[in-house]
């Protein structure tokens, strides 16, 4: 019973309610609205509640009950396992689709190991890789994986400015950049121009971002390239084609500023869209022109790739034949001085062509060449690759001043006989027809 006061309402709690009368609370409201009408008591609701708590597997869930993603997906729609291949035939179709998309095939359900992706040009080697680049008006397929940042590597098509080599993800950004980009040629000094071709010397320390972008793009077409970001010790020589829009990129080669092994070339690359035009041999000849200008004998960085060795042997053979066809007798040292090649490269080329023969004395050789064969080779080479470097159009000073060639004066035939008898056949060679 509630105590009452004769002069007022019954005394209760602070809100003025009588004790024992709590009014219409939450429990009372449930009873008023039908008791357990709002409480999920069905078996499906219990399973949904347990699944939401993570206490019941997805397989035991009612497939027709919307539970996941704010009750928007049913159990069947949310079950991702139904998209995993189950049979051998489904796994084969899955791997074929991934291979067509350029990804590495996964291990099959039968326990087979994952197939290794090919490393030949045109075949991607990783799942995330830039498949193509757009450079100016050309779209070029990549050959190898280049370590672009992850946010760029996930895009199959990368847009690159043909003047500053900045890379972008979207066509919209690329279009706006091309409209505002002030660059119309590579940074650095233009040291050579012949018609519509020009060569720029770019210092990796002064133009670090440009050289890094150049190396990243070059790695897409070079399998053994390892230099990407440490570009400060290198000089880059960029070959461009001149047009009314500016100097468009065609290829480049790099060299160390200070090379302990006297390397005159570290890396060389010509765009696939500019190949078969003689630009590779032109860059090789240009590197030897710089070596002759410096006064030292140069050689490319070893080891050479298979294609690089073929290109260099072709250039070495042509450079030596152009001298041999004009002189009756010459020494190996003189050939090295005139061509800028090292003595090892000169001897290797002559031995490959079978032009060095022993004379019977220890360490004595003579150079034997067929003038008709040499002239026929030069005619074919000129017809196939007419582009040559004109040394008169080079405006350049060496980065470092080095000592000039030290070559002994030409000896008379009698002196050559004495040198051969003394065993110094490497410095005196005879051309026989």
């Amino acid at each position: 019973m509630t105590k009452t006061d004769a002069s007022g309402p019954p005394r209760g709690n602070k809100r003025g309610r009588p004790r024992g009368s709590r009014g219409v609370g939450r429990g009372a409201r449930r009873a008023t609205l039908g008791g357990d009408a709002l409480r999920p008591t069905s078996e499906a609701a219990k399973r949904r509640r347990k699944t939401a708590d993570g206490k019941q597997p997805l397989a035991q869930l009612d497939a027709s009950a919307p539970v996941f993603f704010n009750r928007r997906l049913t159990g069947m729609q949310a079950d991702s396992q139904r998209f995993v291949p189950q049979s051998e035939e489904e796994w084969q179709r899955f791997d074929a689709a991934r291979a067509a998309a350029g990804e590495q095939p996964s291990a099959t359900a039968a326990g087979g190991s994952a197939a290794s992706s090919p490393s030949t040009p045109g075949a991607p080697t990783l799942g995330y890789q830039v498949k193509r680049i757009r450079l100016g008006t050309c779209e070029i397929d990549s050959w190898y994986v280049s370590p672009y940042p992850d946010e760029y590597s996930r895009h199959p098509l990368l847009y690159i400015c043909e003047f500053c080599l900045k890379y972008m993800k979207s066509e919209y950004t690329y279009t706006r950049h091309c409209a505002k980009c002030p660059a119309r040629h590579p940074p650095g000094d233009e040291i050579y121009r012949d018609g519509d071709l020009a060569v720029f010397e770019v210092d990796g320390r002064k133009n670090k971002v440009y050289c890094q972008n150049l190396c990243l793009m070059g790695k897409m077409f070079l399998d053994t390239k390892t230099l990407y970001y440490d570009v400060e010790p290198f000089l880059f020589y960029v070959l461009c084609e001149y047009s009314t829009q500016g100097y468009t990129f065609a290829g480049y080669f790099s060299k160390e500023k200070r090379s302990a092994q006297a390397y005159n070339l570290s890396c060389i690359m010509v765009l696939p869209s500019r190949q078969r035009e003689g630009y590779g041999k032109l860059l090789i000849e240009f590197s030897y022109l710089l070596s002759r200008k410096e006064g030292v004998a140069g050689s490319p960085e070893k080891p050479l790739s298979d294609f690089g060795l073929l290109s260099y042997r072709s250039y070495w053979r042509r450079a030596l034949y152009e001298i041999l066809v004009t002189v009756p007798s010459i020494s190996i040292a003189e050939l090295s001085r005139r061509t800028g090649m090292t003595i090892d490269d000169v001897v290797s080329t002559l031995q490959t062509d079978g032009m060095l023969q022993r004379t019977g004395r220890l360490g004595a050789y003579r150079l034997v060449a067929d003038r008709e064969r040499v002239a026929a080779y030069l005619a074919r080479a000129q017809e196939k690759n007419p582009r040559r470097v004109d040394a008169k159009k080079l405006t350049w000073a060496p980065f470092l001043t080095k000592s000039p060639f030290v070559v002994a004066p030409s000896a008379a035939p009698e002196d050559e006989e004495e040198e051969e008898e003394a065993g110094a056949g490497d410095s005196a060679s005879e051309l026989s027809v």
Side-chain angles (χ1 to χ4, degrees):
M1 298 294 293
T2 304
K3 296 183 180 181
T4 60
D5 193 350
S7 62
R11 283 183 288 177
N13 54 22
K14 295 181 180 181
R15 295 182 180 179
R17 297 195 186 106
R19 296 185 183 276
S21 176
R22 298 179 60 185
V24 182
R26 282 179 290 182
R29 284 197 295 271
R30 281 198 199 100
T32 305
L33 294 175
D36 292 336
L38 298 181
R39 182 179 299 175
T41 56
S42 64
E43 293 299 326
K46 291 181 181 179
R47 287 197 296 269
R48 289 197 300 269
R49 187 167 62 251
K50 289 182 180 180
T51 305
D53 295 338
K55 298 179 180 180
Q56 192 166 353
L58 183 63
Q60 301 179 8
L61 188 64
D62 186 2
S64 61
V67 177
F68 296 93
F69 293 98
N70 198 16
R71 298 177 181 265
R72 294 180 181 178
L73 294 181
T74 63
M76 181 178 296
Q77 294 172 343
D79 186 9
S80 60
Q81 295 297 322
R82 62 194 183 98
F83 297 105
V84 178
Q86 303 297 331
S87 63
E88 180 68 23
E89 182 182 359
E90 292 180 352
W91 273 107
Q92 292 178 358
R93 291 170 57 189
F94 177 73
D95 290 338
R98 293 192 65 179
E103 300 182 3
Q104 184 176 2
S106 61
T108 59
S113 60
S116 59
S117 58
S119 60
T120 55
T125 57
L126 289 178
Y128 293 116
Q129 178 201 353
V130 179
K131 306 298 188 302
R132 292 178 300 161
I133 62 171
R134 180 176 176 183
L135 187 67
T137 58
C138 300
E139 285 194 7
I140 308 172
D141 294 335
S142 63
W143 294 356
Y144 306 101
V145 178
S146 182
Y148 281 101
D150 290 341
E151 57 178 320
Y152 295 91
S153 297
R154 296 176 181 270
H155 292 264
L157 177 61
L158 205 62
Y159 299 86
I160 300 179
C161 177
E162 59 182 339
F163 298 112
C164 68
L165 302 185
K166 180 180 179 181
Y167 49 89
M168 289 150 279
K169 297 181 290 185
S170 64
E171 185 178 6
Y172 175 76
T173 306
Y174 171 74
T175 304
R176 288 181 57 86
H177 171 82
C178 292
K180 298 184 295 183
C181 182
R184 285 297 175 266
H185 59 80
D189 301 326
E190 183 180 3
I191 61 175
Y192 180 83
R193 184 188 291 187
D194 185 7
D196 60 342
L197 296 180
V199 178
F200 288 81
E201 183 184 55
V202 185
D203 192 339
R205 183 180 64 85
K206 297 179 181 179
N207 305 279
K208 188 173 182 179
V209 176
Y210 178 88
C211 295
Q212 288 177 349
N213 294 340
L214 180 61
C215 290
L216 288 174
M217 184 177 64
K219 180 62 181 74
M220 305 179 75
F221 310 104
L222 298 173
D223 188 19
T224 58
K225 183 174 178 57
T226 57
L227 172 67
Y228 312 123
Y229 298 104
D230 186 17
V231 296
E232 296 182 4
F234 291 86
L235 292 171
F236 296 82
Y237 296 89
V238 184
L239 177 65
C240 299
E241 295 179 343
Y242 176 75
S243 63
T244 56
Q245 285 76 22
Y247 294 85
T248 57
F249 177 83
Y252 83 100
F253 76 90
S254 61
K255 61 180 292 187
E256 291 183 274
K257 298 176 183 177
R258 291 180 173 89
S259 178
Q261 295 80 13
Y263 291 145
N264 64 356
L265 188 143
S266 298
C267 176
I268 183 171
M269 188 273 294
V270 178
L271 286 176
S273 59
R274 296 294 186 270
Q275 292 180 0
R276 302 292 181 179
E277 298 182 19
Y279 288 160
K281 300 285 182 59
L282 188 72
L283 289 175
I284 293 175
E285 185 178 2
F286 193 83
S287 67
Y288 279 102
L289 174 61
L290 299 184
S291 295
R292 295 196 300 269
K293 189 77 171 180
E294 291 175 334
V296 296
S299 180
E301 187 173 331
K302 306 296 190 306
L304 291 172
S305 62
D306 295 337
F307 292 107
L309 183 59
L310 290 175
S311 299
Y312 264 94
R313 279 185 175 172
S314 176
Y315 168 76
W316 290 338
R317 183 178 294 111
R318 183 175 182 178
L320 293 175
Y321 282 8
E322 288 177 344
I323 298 176
L324 295 178
V325 77
T326 58
V327 295
S329 179
I330 193 171
S331 65
I332 299 296
E334 181 65 15
L335 286 175
S336 175
R337 189 188 69 82
R338 290 193 184 186
T339 59
M341 298 165 51
T342 60
I343 292 180
D344 292 339
D345 293 336
V346 173
V347 173
S348 174
T349 305
L350 296 177
Q351 286 180 342
T352 303
D353 293 347
M355 293 185 178
L356 288 182
Q357 295 181 359
R358 286 183 177 271
T359 60
R361 297 181 178 89
L362 180 62
Y365 292 87
R366 68 173 183 175
L367 197 156
V368 180
D370 186 354
R371 290 186 182 276
E372 295 181 359
R373 174 188 170 189
V374 170
Y377 177 85
L378 291 177
R380 293 195 305 269
Q382 179 64 24
E383 182 180 358
K384 183 179 179 180
N385 184 18
R387 291 184 181 273
R388 302 303 302 274
V389 175
D390 189 354
K392 298 179 180 179
K393 298 182 179 180
L394 177 66
T395 306
W396 179 77
F399 182 79
L400 295 175
T401 304
K402 302 179 181 179
S403 58
F405 281 103
V406 179
V407 180
S410 300
E414 294 79 5
D415 297 333
E416 291 183 1
E417 294 290 341
E418 296 176 358
E419 288 179 358
E420 289 181 359
E421 292 177 357
D426 288 341
S427 61
S429 301
E430 180 185 354
L431 176 64
S432 302
V433 181

